[in-house]
Coordinates of all heavy atoms in Angstrom, one line a residue:
M1 N 0.8 -1.2 0.0 CA 0.0 0.0 0.0 C 0.9 1.2 0.0 O 1.9 1.3 0.7 CB -0.9 0.0 1.2 CG -1.7 1.3 1.4 SD -2.5 1.4 3.0 CE -3.6 0.0 3.0
T2 N 0.6 2.2 -0.9 CA 1.4 3.4 -0.9 C 1.0 4.3 0.2 O -0.1 4.2 0.8 CB 1.2 4.1 -2.3 OG1 -0.2 4.5 -2.4 CG2 1.6 3.3 -3.4
A3 N 1.9 5.3 0.5 CA 1.6 6.2 1.6 C 2.2 7.6 1.3 O 3.2 7.7 0.5 CB 2.3 5.7 2.9
R4 N 1.7 8.5 2.0 CA 2.1 9.9 1.8 C 2.4 10.5 3.1 O 1.7 10.4 4.1 CB 1.0 10.7 1.1 CG 1.3 12.2 0.9 CD 0.4 12.8 0.0 NE 0.8 12.4 -1.4 CZ 0.1 12.6 -2.5 NH1 -1.1 13.3 -2.4 NH2 0.5 12.2 -3.7
L5 N 3.6 11.2 3.2 CA 4.0 12.0 4.4 C 3.7 13.4 4.1 O 4.0 13.9 3.0 CB 5.5 11.8 4.7 CG 6.0 10.5 5.1 CD1 7.5 10.7 5.5 CD2 5.3 9.8 6.2
K6 N 3.2 14.1 5.1 CA 3.1 15.5 5.2 C 4.1 16.0 6.2 O 4.0 15.6 7.4 CB 1.7 16.0 5.5 CG 1.6 17.5 5.6 CD 0.2 17.9 6.0 CE 0.1 19.4 6.2 NZ -1.2 19.8 6.7
I7 N 5.1 16.8 5.8 CA 6.1 17.3 6.8 C 6.0 18.8 6.9 O 6.2 19.5 5.9 CB 7.5 16.9 6.3 CG1 7.6 15.3 6.1 CG2 8.6 17.3 7.2 CD1 8.9 14.9 5.4
E8 N 5.7 19.2 8.1 CA 5.6 20.7 8.4 C 6.8 21.1 9.2 O 7.4 20.3 9.9 CB 4.3 20.9 9.1 CG 3.1 20.6 8.3 CD 1.8 20.9 9.1 OE1 1.6 22.1 9.4 OE2 1.1 20.0 9.3
G9 N 7.2 22.4 9.0 CA 8.3 23.0 9.8 C 9.6 22.9 9.1 O 10.7 23.1 9.7
L10 N 9.6 22.7 7.8 CA 10.9 22.7 7.0 C 11.5 24.1 7.0 O 10.7 25.1 7.0 CB 10.7 22.2 5.6 CG 10.2 20.7 5.5 CD1 9.8 20.4 4.0 CD2 11.3 19.8 5.9
P11 N 12.8 24.2 7.0 CA 13.4 25.5 7.0 C 13.2 26.2 5.6 O 13.1 25.6 4.6 CB 14.9 25.2 7.2 CG 15.1 23.7 7.4 CD 13.8 23.1 7.1
R12 N 13.2 27.5 5.7 CA 13.1 28.3 4.5 C 14.3 27.9 3.6 O 15.4 27.7 4.0 CB 13.2 29.8 4.8 CG 11.9 30.3 5.5 CD 11.9 31.8 5.6 NE 11.7 32.4 4.3 CZ 10.6 32.9 3.9 NH1 9.6 32.9 4.6 NH2 10.5 33.4 2.7
G13 N 14.1 27.9 2.3 CA 15.1 27.6 1.3 C 15.3 26.1 1.1 O 16.1 25.6 0.3
F14 N 14.5 25.3 1.9 CA 14.6 23.8 1.7 C 14.0 23.5 0.4 O 12.9 24.0 0.0 CB 13.8 23.2 2.8 CG 14.3 21.8 3.3 CD1 15.4 21.7 4.0 CD2 13.6 20.7 2.9 CE1 15.9 20.4 4.5 CE2 14.0 19.4 3.4 CZ 15.1 19.3 4.1
D15 N 14.6 22.6 -0.5 CA 14.1 22.3 -1.8 C 13.8 20.8 -1.9 O 14.1 20.0 -1.0 CB 15.0 22.8 -2.9 CG 16.4 22.2 -2.9 OD1 16.6 21.1 -2.4 OD2 17.3 22.8 -3.5
E16 N 13.4 20.4 -3.1 CA 13.0 19.0 -3.3 C 14.3 18.0 -3.1 O 14.1 16.9 -2.6 CB 12.4 18.8 -4.7 CG 11.0 19.1 -4.8 CD 10.7 20.6 -5.0 OE1 11.7 21.4 -5.2 OE2 9.6 21.0 -4.9
D17 N 15.4 18.5 -3.6 CA 16.6 17.6 -3.4 C 16.9 17.4 -1.9 O 17.3 16.3 -1.5 CB 17.8 18.3 -4.1 CG 17.7 18.2 -5.6 OD1 17.1 17.3 -6.1 OD2 18.4 19.0 -6.3
D18 N 16.8 18.5 -1.1 CA 17.0 18.4 0.3 C 16.0 17.4 1.0 O 16.3 16.6 1.8 CB 16.9 19.8 1.0 CG 17.9 20.8 0.6 OD1 19.1 20.4 0.3 OD2 17.5 22.0 0.5
L19 N 14.7 17.5 0.5 CA 13.7 16.7 1.1 C 13.9 15.2 0.7 O 13.8 14.3 1.5 CB 12.3 17.2 0.6 CG 11.1 16.5 1.2 CD1 11.1 16.5 2.7 CD2 9.8 17.0 0.6
L20 N 14.4 15.0 -0.5 CA 14.7 13.6 -0.9 C 15.8 13.1 -0.1 O 15.8 11.9 0.4 CB 15.0 13.6 -2.4 CG 15.3 12.2 -3.0 CD1 14.1 11.3 -2.9 CD2 15.7 12.4 -4.5
D21 N 16.9 13.9 0.1 CA 18.0 13.4 0.9 C 17.6 13.1 2.4 O 18.1 12.2 3.0 CB 19.1 14.5 1.0 CG 19.8 14.7 -0.3 OD1 19.7 13.8 -1.2 OD2 20.5 15.7 -0.5
L22 N 16.6 13.9 2.9 CA 16.1 13.6 4.2 C 15.3 12.3 4.3 O 15.4 11.6 5.3 CB 15.2 14.8 4.7 CG 14.6 14.8 6.1 CD1 15.7 14.9 7.1 CD2 13.6 15.9 6.2
C23 N 14.5 12.0 3.3 CA 13.6 10.9 3.4 C 14.0 9.6 2.8 O 13.5 8.5 3.1 CB 12.2 11.3 2.8 SG 11.4 12.7 3.7
E24 N 14.9 9.7 1.9 CA 15.4 8.5 1.1 C 16.0 7.4 2.0 O 15.9 6.2 1.7 CB 16.3 8.8 0.0 CG 16.1 8.1 -1.2 CD 16.9 8.6 -2.4 OE1 17.9 9.3 -2.2 OE2 16.5 8.3 -3.5
P25 N 16.7 7.7 3.1 CA 17.3 6.7 3.9 C 16.2 5.7 4.5 O 16.6 4.6 4.9 CB 17.9 7.4 5.1 CG 18.3 8.8 4.5 CD 17.1 9.1 3.6
Y26 N 15.0 6.0 4.5 CA 13.9 5.1 5.0 C 13.3 4.2 4.0 O 12.4 3.4 4.3 CB 12.9 6.0 5.8 CG 13.5 6.9 6.8 CD1 13.8 8.2 6.6 CD2 13.9 6.3 8.0 CE1 14.4 9.0 7.5 CE2 14.6 7.1 9.0 CZ 14.8 8.4 8.7 OH 15.5 9.2 9.6
G27 N 13.6 4.4 2.7 CA 13.1 3.6 1.7 C 12.9 4.3 0.4 O 13.2 5.6 0.3
F28 N 12.6 3.6 -0.7 CA 12.4 4.2 -2.0 C 11.3 5.3 -1.9 O 10.2 5.0 -1.4 CB 12.1 3.2 -3.0 CG 11.9 3.7 -4.4 CD1 13.0 4.1 -5.2 CD2 10.6 3.9 -4.9 CE1 12.8 4.6 -6.4 CE2 10.5 4.5 -6.2 CZ 11.6 4.8 -6.9
V29 N 11.6 6.4 -2.6 CA 10.6 7.5 -2.6 C 10.2 7.7 -4.0 O 11.0 7.8 -5.0 CB 11.3 8.8 -2.1 CG1 10.4 10.0 -2.3 CG2 11.7 8.7 -0.6
D30 N 8.8 7.7 -4.2 CA 8.2 8.0 -5.5 C 8.3 9.4 -6.0 O 8.6 9.7 -7.1 CB 6.8 7.6 -5.6 CG 6.6 6.1 -5.9 OD1 7.5 5.5 -6.4 OD2 5.5 5.6 -5.5
D31 N 8.0 10.3 -5.0 CA 7.8 11.7 -5.4 C 8.0 12.6 -4.2 O 7.6 12.2 -3.1 CB 6.4 12.0 -6.0 CG 6.3 13.4 -6.6 OD1 7.3 13.9 -7.2 OD2 5.2 13.9 -6.5
V32 N 8.6 13.8 -4.4 CA 8.7 14.8 -3.3 C 8.3 16.1 -3.8 O 8.5 16.4 -5.0 CB 10.1 14.9 -2.7 CG1 10.5 13.6 -2.0 CG2 11.1 15.3 -3.7
R33 N 7.7 16.9 -3.0 CA 7.3 18.3 -3.3 C 7.5 19.2 -2.1 O 7.2 18.8 -1.0 CB 5.9 18.4 -3.8 CG 5.7 17.8 -5.2 CD 4.2 17.7 -5.5 NE 3.8 16.5 -4.7 CZ 2.6 16.1 -4.6 NH1 1.6 16.6 -5.2 NH2 2.3 15.0 -3.8
V34 N 8.0 20.4 -2.3 CA 8.2 21.4 -1.3 C 7.3 22.5 -1.6 O 7.3 23.0 -2.7 CB 9.6 21.8 -1.1 CG1 9.7 23.0 -0.2 CG2 10.5 20.7 -0.7
I35 N 6.5 22.9 -0.6 CA 5.5 24.0 -0.8 C 5.9 25.1 0.1 O 5.8 24.9 1.4 CB 4.1 23.5 -0.5 CG1 3.8 22.3 -1.5 CG2 3.1 24.6 -0.7 CD1 2.7 21.4 -1.0
D36 N 6.4 26.2 -0.4 CA 6.7 27.4 0.4 C 5.6 28.4 0.2 O 5.4 28.9 -0.9 CB 8.0 28.0 -0.1 CG 8.6 29.1 0.8 OD1 7.8 29.7 1.5 OD2 9.8 29.4 0.7
E37 N 4.9 28.6 1.3 CA 3.7 29.5 1.2 C 4.0 31.0 1.3 O 3.1 31.8 1.3 CB 2.7 29.0 2.3 CG 2.2 27.6 2.0 CD 1.3 27.1 3.1 OE1 1.0 27.8 4.1 OE2 0.9 25.9 3.0
G38 N 5.3 31.3 1.3 CA 5.7 32.7 1.3 C 5.6 33.4 2.7 O 6.0 34.5 2.8
S39 N 4.9 32.7 3.6 CA 4.7 33.3 4.9 C 5.7 32.8 6.0 O 5.4 33.0 7.2 CB 3.3 33.1 5.4 OG 3.1 31.7 5.5
G40 N 6.7 32.1 5.5 CA 7.6 31.5 6.4 C 7.2 30.0 6.7 O 7.9 29.3 7.4
T41 N 6.1 29.6 6.2 CA 5.7 28.2 6.3 C 6.1 27.4 5.1 O 5.7 27.7 4.0 CB 4.1 28.1 6.5 OG1 3.7 28.9 7.6 CG2 3.7 26.7 6.7
V42 N 6.9 26.4 5.4 CA 7.4 25.5 4.3 C 7.0 24.1 4.7 O 7.3 23.6 5.9 CB 8.9 25.6 4.2 CG1 9.4 24.7 3.1 CG2 9.3 27.0 3.9
R43 N 6.4 23.4 3.8 CA 6.0 22.0 4.1 C 6.4 21.1 2.9 O 6.6 21.6 1.8 CB 4.5 21.8 4.4 CG 3.6 22.2 3.4 CD 2.2 22.2 3.8 NE 1.3 22.8 2.8 CZ 0.3 22.1 2.2 NH1 0.1 20.9 2.6 NH2 -0.4 22.7 1.3
G44 N 6.5 19.8 3.2 CA 6.9 18.9 2.2 C 5.8 17.8 2.1 O 5.2 17.4 3.1
I45 N 5.7 17.2 0.9 CA 4.9 16.1 0.6 C 5.8 15.0 0.0 O 6.5 15.3 -0.9 CB 3.7 16.4 -0.4 CG1 2.9 17.6 0.1 CG2 2.9 15.2 -0.6 CD1 2.1 17.4 1.3
V46 N 5.8 13.8 0.6 CA 6.6 12.7 0.2 C 5.8 11.5 0.0 O 5.0 11.1 0.9 CB 7.7 12.4 1.2 CG1 8.6 11.3 0.8 CG2 8.5 13.7 1.6
D47 N 5.9 10.9 -1.2 CA 5.2 9.7 -1.5 C 6.1 8.5 -1.5 O 7.1 8.5 -2.2 CB 4.5 9.8 -2.9 CG 3.4 10.8 -2.9 OD1 2.7 11.0 -1.9 OD2 3.1 11.3 -4.0
Y48 N 5.7 7.5 -0.7 CA 6.5 6.2 -0.7 C 5.6 5.1 -1.3 O 4.4 5.1 -1.0 CB 6.7 5.8 0.8 CG 7.8 6.6 1.5 CD1 7.6 7.7 2.2 CD2 9.2 6.1 1.4 CE1 8.6 8.4 2.9 CE2 10.2 6.7 2.1 CZ 9.9 7.9 2.8 OH 10.9 8.5 3.5
P49 N 6.1 4.2 -2.0 CA 5.3 3.1 -2.5 C 5.0 2.1 -1.4 O 4.1 1.3 -1.6 CB 6.1 2.5 -3.7 CG 7.5 2.9 -3.3 CD 7.5 4.2 -2.6
D50 N 5.8 2.1 -0.4 CA 5.6 1.1 0.7 C 5.2 1.8 2.0 O 5.9 2.7 2.5 CB 7.0 0.4 0.9 CG 6.9 -0.7 1.9 OD1 6.9 -0.4 3.2 OD2 6.7 -1.9 1.5
F51 N 4.0 1.4 2.5 CA 3.5 2.1 3.7 C 4.4 1.9 4.9 O 4.6 2.8 5.7 CB 2.1 1.5 4.1 CG 1.4 2.3 5.2 CD1 0.7 3.4 4.9 CD2 1.5 1.8 6.5 CE1 0.1 4.1 5.9 CE2 0.9 2.5 7.5 CZ 0.2 3.7 7.2
D52 N 5.1 0.7 5.1 CA 6.0 0.5 6.2 C 7.2 1.5 6.2 O 7.6 1.9 7.2 CB 6.4 -0.9 6.3 CG 5.3 -1.9 6.7 OD1 4.3 -1.4 7.4 OD2 5.3 -3.1 6.3
D53 N 7.7 1.7 5.0 CA 8.8 2.7 4.8 C 8.4 4.1 5.3 O 9.1 4.8 6.0 CB 9.3 2.7 3.4 CG 10.1 1.5 3.0 OD1 10.4 0.6 3.9 OD2 10.3 1.3 1.8
A54 N 7.2 4.5 4.8 CA 6.7 5.8 5.2 C 6.4 5.9 6.7 O 6.7 6.9 7.3 CB 5.4 6.1 4.5
K55 N 5.9 4.8 7.3 CA 5.7 4.8 8.7 C 7.0 5.0 9.5 O 7.1 5.7 10.5 CB 5.0 3.5 9.1 CG 4.6 3.5 10.6 CD 3.8 2.2 10.9 CE 3.5 2.1 12.3 NZ 2.9 0.9 12.7
S56 N 8.0 4.2 9.0 CA 9.4 4.3 9.7 C 9.9 5.8 9.6 O 10.4 6.3 10.5 CB 10.3 3.4 9.0 OG 10.0 2.1 9.3
A57 N 9.8 6.4 8.4 CA 10.2 7.7 8.2 C 9.5 8.7 9.1 O 10.1 9.5 9.8 CB 10.1 8.1 6.7
A58 N 8.2 8.5 9.2 CA 7.4 9.4 10.1 C 7.8 9.3 11.5 O 7.9 10.3 12.2 CB 5.9 9.1 9.9
E59 N 8.0 8.1 12.0 CA 8.4 7.8 13.4 C 9.7 8.4 13.7 O 10.0 9.0 14.8 CB 8.4 6.3 13.7 CG 7.0 5.7 13.7 CD 7.0 4.2 13.8 OE1 8.1 3.6 13.7 OE2 5.9 3.6 14.0
E60 N 10.7 8.4 12.7 CA 12.0 8.9 12.9 C 12.1 10.4 12.8 O 12.8 11.1 13.5 CB 13.0 8.3 12.0 CG 13.3 6.8 12.3 CD 14.0 6.6 13.6 OE1 14.9 7.4 13.9 OE2 13.7 5.6 14.3
L61 N 11.3 11.0 11.9 CA 11.4 12.4 11.6 C 10.5 13.3 12.4 O 10.7 14.5 12.5 CB 11.2 12.6 10.1 CG 12.2 12.0 9.2 CD1 11.8 12.2 7.7 CD2 13.6 12.6 9.4
D62 N 9.4 12.7 12.9 CA 8.5 13.6 13.7 C 9.2 14.0 15.0 O 9.7 13.2 15.8 CB 7.2 12.8 14.1 CG 6.2 13.7 14.7 OD1 5.9 14.8 14.2 OD2 5.6 13.3 15.8
G63 N 9.3 15.3 15.2 CA 10.0 15.9 16.3 C 11.5 16.1 16.1 O 12.2 16.6 16.9
Y64 N 12.0 15.7 14.9 CA 13.4 15.9 14.5 C 13.7 17.4 14.4 O 12.9 18.1 13.8 CB 13.6 15.2 13.2 CG 15.0 15.2 12.6 CD1 16.0 14.4 13.1 CD2 15.4 16.1 11.6 CE1 17.3 14.4 12.6 CE2 16.7 16.1 11.1 CZ 17.6 15.3 11.6 OH 18.9 15.3 11.1
E65 N 14.8 17.8 14.9 CA 15.2 19.2 14.8 C 16.1 19.4 13.6 O 17.1 18.8 13.4 CB 15.9 19.7 16.1 CG 16.2 21.1 16.1 CD 16.8 21.6 17.4 OE1 16.5 21.0 18.5 OE2 17.5 22.6 17.4
L66 N 15.7 20.4 12.8 CA 16.4 20.7 11.6 C 16.5 22.2 11.5 O 15.5 22.9 11.4 CB 15.6 20.2 10.4 CG 16.3 20.2 9.0 CD1 17.6 19.4 9.0 CD2 15.3 19.7 7.9
D67 N 17.7 22.7 11.5 CA 18.0 24.2 11.5 C 17.1 24.9 12.6 O 16.4 25.9 12.3 CB 17.7 24.8 10.1 CG 18.7 24.3 9.1 OD1 19.7 23.7 9.5 OD2 18.5 24.5 7.9
D68 N 17.2 24.4 13.8 CA 16.5 25.0 14.9 C 14.9 25.0 14.8 O 14.2 25.8 15.5 CB 16.9 26.5 15.2 CG 18.4 26.5 15.6 OD1 18.9 25.6 16.3 OD2 19.1 27.5 15.1
Q69 N 14.4 24.1 14.0 CA 13.0 23.9 13.8 C 12.6 22.5 14.0 O 13.3 21.6 13.6 CB 12.5 24.4 12.5 CG 12.7 25.9 12.2 CD 12.1 26.3 10.9 OE1 12.4 27.4 10.4 NE2 11.3 25.5 10.2
L70 N 11.5 22.2 14.7 CA 11.1 20.9 14.9 C 10.1 20.5 13.8 O 9.2 21.2 13.5 CB 10.4 20.7 16.3 CG 11.2 20.8 17.5 CD1 10.4 20.7 18.8 CD2 12.3 19.8 17.5
L71 N 10.4 19.3 13.2 CA 9.5 18.8 12.2 C 8.3 18.2 12.8 O 8.3 17.5 13.8 CB 10.2 17.8 11.3 CG 11.5 18.3 10.6 CD1 12.1 17.2 9.7 CD2 11.2 19.6 9.8
R72 N 7.1 18.3 12.1 CA 5.9 17.7 12.4 C 5.5 16.8 11.2 O 5.3 17.3 10.1 CB 4.8 18.7 12.7 CG 5.1 19.4 14.0 CD 4.1 20.6 14.2 NE 4.1 21.5 13.1 CZ 5.0 22.5 12.8 NH1 6.1 22.6 13.5 NH2 4.8 23.3 11.7
V73 N 5.4 15.5 11.4 CA 5.2 14.6 10.3 C 4.0 13.7 10.6 O 3.8 13.2 11.6 CB 6.4 13.6 10.2 CG1 6.3 12.7 9.0 CG2 7.7 14.4 10.0
T74 N 3.1 13.7 9.6 CA 2.0 12.8 9.6 C 2.0 11.9 8.3 O 2.6 12.3 7.3 CB 0.7 13.6 9.6 OG1 0.6 14.5 8.5 CG2 0.5 14.4 10.9
V75 N 1.4 10.7 8.5 CA 1.4 9.8 7.4 C 0.0 9.3 7.1 O -0.8 9.2 8.0 CB 2.3 8.5 7.7 CG1 1.8 7.8 8.9 CG2 2.5 7.6 6.5
S76 N -0.3 9.1 5.8 CA -1.6 8.6 5.4 C -1.5 7.7 4.2 O -0.5 7.8 3.5 CB -2.6 9.8 5.1 OG -2.3 10.3 3.9
S77 N -2.4 6.9 4.0 CA -2.4 6.0 2.8 C -2.8 6.9 1.7 O -3.6 7.8 1.8 CB -3.3 4.8 2.9 OG -4.7 5.3 3.1
A78 N -2.2 6.7 0.5 CA -2.4 7.5 -0.7 C -3.2 6.6 -1.7 O -2.5 5.9 -2.4 CB -1.2 8.1 -1.3
R79 N -4.5 6.6 -1.6 CA -5.3 5.7 -2.5 C -5.7 6.5 -3.7 O -6.2 7.6 -3.6 CB -6.5 5.3 -1.7 CG -6.1 4.4 -0.5 CD -7.4 3.9 0.1 NE -7.1 3.2 1.4 CZ -7.3 3.8 2.5 NH1 -7.9 4.9 2.7 NH2 -6.9 3.1 3.6
S80 N -5.6 5.9 -4.9 CA -6.1 6.4 -6.1 C -5.6 7.8 -6.4 O -6.3 8.6 -7.0 CB -7.6 6.3 -6.2 OG -8.0 5.0 -5.9
G81 N -4.4 8.2 -5.9 CA -3.9 9.5 -6.1 C -4.7 10.6 -5.4 O -4.4 11.8 -5.6
V82 N -5.5 10.2 -4.5 CA -6.3 11.2 -3.7 C -5.7 11.3 -2.3 O -5.4 10.3 -1.7 CB -7.8 10.8 -3.6 CG1 -8.5 11.8 -2.7 CG2 -8.4 10.7 -4.9
S83 N -5.5 12.6 -1.9 CA -4.9 12.8 -0.6 C -5.5 13.9 0.1 O -5.9 14.9 -0.5 CB -3.4 13.0 -0.7 OG -2.8 13.5 0.5
A84 N -5.6 13.9 1.4 CA -6.1 14.9 2.2 C -5.1 16.1 2.3 O -5.5 17.2 2.8 CB -6.4 14.5 3.7
F85 N -3.9 15.9 1.8 CA -2.9 17.0 1.9 C -2.9 17.9 0.7 O -2.1 18.8 0.7 CB -1.5 16.4 2.1 CG -1.4 15.5 3.3 CD1 -1.0 14.2 3.2 CD2 -1.9 15.9 4.5 CE1 -0.9 13.4 4.3 CE2 -1.8 15.1 5.6 CZ -1.3 13.8 5.5
E86 N -3.7 17.7 -0.3 CA -3.6 18.5 -1.5 C -4.9 19.3 -1.5 O -5.9 19.0 -1.0 CB -3.5 17.7 -2.7 CG -2.1 17.0 -2.7 CD -1.8 16.4 -4.0 OE1 -2.3 15.3 -4.3 OE2 -1.0 17.0 -4.8

């Protein structure tokens, strides 16, 4: 089952390559996107083909401190390309 992570609290200037480097150690990543809302809020969306890999990434990264910011990570199943994060 595929899964999607929503990662909030990314540092400003964080890009897709940075997000891939952060998440790839936990398993193969299908897609990453960084959304900078221009208000200082930067979040990432990461799709894993394997739910267990996504769950491991979420457990390790939730509360992780990156550039003096704590990450908040949630995971959901990504069914039929539909997600609550978009």
